[in-house]
């Protein structure tokens, strides 16, 4: 949406009096960024845009194009405080790796505030408020065929090739903010369960950039209850 807070921030490089929800989401993004050693980085948007534009032409960004885009990537370059969020010239943010989960959490908060219980929220990521109305956990089925029983928890899934930039479906949309290349982690699809859908969402995105199961375990150990 052209008038959304994120769109206005990306268009002008500055957003005064940012809404509370955006600040809360960016605060969590910052936490996951630090815990993941920079794997999770919402400033990846300029690089993502280069891949998307190249895909329209049936190509991929060359090294020079990637390097130019990477010069605009870096969470430390974002200014965040209660009064304003600022970006350096040319930078832009994407919340695709955390927003669906964050929205699920906000919906859960709103429904709980109305006294509702035993609800499953699906925003692309799942958040269970209580349990199944007939008793027991919600039997959430993953796209890969697995099942995750949820009671007052969330689950989020990221797939390296969930969206691709080429006809052969080999160039995935999860990009490494350090190398500028598509994720080449140890897994093709990753589901993370946590108490918060936003945490699960961000961790599943970052986890796809982990090199092995040990690196993923270390990352998850920094978030209570994540698995």
């Amino acid at each position: 949406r052209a008038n959304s807070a994120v769109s206005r921030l990306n268009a002008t490089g500055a957003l005064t009096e940012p809404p509370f929800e955006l600040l809360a989401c960016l605060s969590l993004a910052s936490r996951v960024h630090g815990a993941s050693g920079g794997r999770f980085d919402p400033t990846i948007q300029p690089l993502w845009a280069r891949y998307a534009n190249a895909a329209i032409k049936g190509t991929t960004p060359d090294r020079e194009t990637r390097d130019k885009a990477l010069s605009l990537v870096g969470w430390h370059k974002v200014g965040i405080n209660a009064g304003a969020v600022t970006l350096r010239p040319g930078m832009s943010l994407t919340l695709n790796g955390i927003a669906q989960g964050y929205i699920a959490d906000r919906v859960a908060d709103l429904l709980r505030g109305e006294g509702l219980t035993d609800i499953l929220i699906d925003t692309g990521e799942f958040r269970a408020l209580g349990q199944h109305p007939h008793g027991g956990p919600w039997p959430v089925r993953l796209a890969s065929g697995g099942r995750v029983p949820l009671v007052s928890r969330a689950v989020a899934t990221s797939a390296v090739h969930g969206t691709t930039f080429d006809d052969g479906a080999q160039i995935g949309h999860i990009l490494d903010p350090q190398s500028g290349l598509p994720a080449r982690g140890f897994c093709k699809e990753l589901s993370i369960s946590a108490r918060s859908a936003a945490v699960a969402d961000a961790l599943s995105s970052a986890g796809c950039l982990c090199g092995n199961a040990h690196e993923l375990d270390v990352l998850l150990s920094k978030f209570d209850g994540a698995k």
Side-chain angles (χ1 to χ4, degrees), residues 6 9-11 13 41-50 72-75 78 87-95:
V6 173
L9 172 62
N10 286 343
D41 193 330
T43 65
I44 198 74
Q45 179 62 19
L47 181 65
W48 197 96
R50 301 300 194 280
L72 301 172
V73 174
W75 188 247
V78 182
L87 305 175
R88 294 184 187 178
M91 292 182 68
S92 56
L93 299 184
T94 173
L95 298 179

Side-chain angles (χ1 to χ4, degrees), residues 2-227:
N3 66 337
S4 74
V6 173
S7 292
R8 286 184 284 123
L9 172 62
N10 286 343
T12 65
L15 182 69
T16 58
E17 298 182 358
F20 167 79
E21 290 85 357
L22 179 60
L23 289 175
C25 192
L26 294 180
S27 177
L28 178 58
S30 185
R31 181 185 171 200
V32 178
H33 172 81
S36 66
R39 292 183 178 91
F40 184 78
D41 193 330
T43 65
I44 198 74
Q45 179 62 19
L47 181 65
W48 197 96
R50 301 300 194 280
Y51 272 89
N53 290 335
I56 294 174
K57 304 173 184 177
T59 63
T60 58
D62 57 26
R63 177 63 180 272
E64 181 180 0
T65 300
R66 291 201 310 271
D67 287 346
K68 286 182 178 179
L70 283 175
S71 70
L72 301 172
V73 174
W75 188 247
H76 65 283
K77 302 174 184 177
V78 182
I80 304 173
N81 59 60
V85 179
T86 58
L87 305 175
R88 294 184 187 178
M91 292 182 68
S92 56
L93 299 184
T94 173
L95 298 179
N96 285 350
I98 192 173
Q100 287 173 275
Y102 181 79
I103 292 166
D105 287 335
R106 290 288 293 146
V107 171
D109 291 342
L110 291 170
L111 296 179
R112 184 188 293 109
E114 294 295 327
L116 301 177
T117 60
D118 300 335
I119 293 170
L120 183 67
I121 299 154
D122 177 7
T123 61
E125 317 301 354
F126 293 94
R127 169 70 187 272
L129 188 62
Q131 62 180 0
H132 194 284
H134 296 159
W138 287 95
V140 174
R141 185 193 302 271
L142 304 177
S144 59
R147 293 194 179 197
V148 179
L150 291 184
V151 176
S152 299
R153 285 183 67 83
V155 66
T157 300
S158 292
V160 171
H161 296 116
T163 298
T164 55
F165 292 113
D166 64 318
D167 292 336
Q170 297 301 307
I171 304 174
H173 70 297
I174 298 179
L175 304 175
D176 188 329
Q178 297 174 355
S179 70
L181 298 173
R184 301 182 185 277
F186 72 101
C187 62
K188 293 184 178 180
E189 184 172 306
L190 178 63
S191 294
I192 300 295
S193 177
R195 295 186 179 92
S196 157
V199 169
D201 196 3
L203 290 178
S204 69
S205 299
C208 286
L209 288 165
C210 288
N212 51 59
H214 174 69
E215 289 183 3
L216 177 61
D217 288 341
V218 171
L219 172 58
L220 297 184
S221 70
K222 300 174 182 178
F223 293 85
D224 186 37
K227 59 184 179 180

